[in-house]
Amino acid sequence: MYVSTSYVSGDRSGVIREEELEAGQRFMNSYERTKHDAEREVRAAMGEVPLSVVRPCAVIGDSGTGRTRTFN
């Protein structure tokens, strides 16, 4: 089980499907980037090891842009 985050989508918006992890998105900070990179590595191993990726939800951020500078 790998605990990821919706922040792996970076600056993308709208509906984002599970298989769209790599979409040229940009990241606001190193947390988003490292979670994206880690999930990519986990997904690459899925054919060899029984794995599940979960992305617990959190609804936070600016009501207009949805951006969050920090997540503590």
Side-chain angles (χ1 to χ4, degrees):
M1 179 77 62
Y2 176 71
V3 179
S4 188
T5 175
S6 61
Y7 293 106
V8 298
S9 298
D11 61 355
R12 296 186 64 206
S13 62
V15 175
I16 301 169
R17 305 204 186 291
E18 290 297 316
E19 64 274 7
E20 298 175 335
L21 183 62
E22 299 295 334
Q25 65 269 45
R26 291 173 301 179
F27 302 97
M28 293 287 293
N29 53 51
S30 59
Y31 173 78
E32 292 178 5
R33 164 58 75 185
T34 57
K35 290 300 276 188
H36 169 270
D37 293 349
E39 183 173 327
R40 183 183 60 226
E41 295 297 316
V42 167
R43 288 186 175 280
M46 281 183 152
E48 303 166 32
V49 186
L51 291 166
S52 294
V53 174
V54 295
R55 294 183 185 155
C57 67
V59 179
I60 58 172
D62 182 279
S63 63
T65 65
R67 294 194 181 235
T68 302
R69 295 227 179 265
T70 61
F71 186 77
N72 298 321

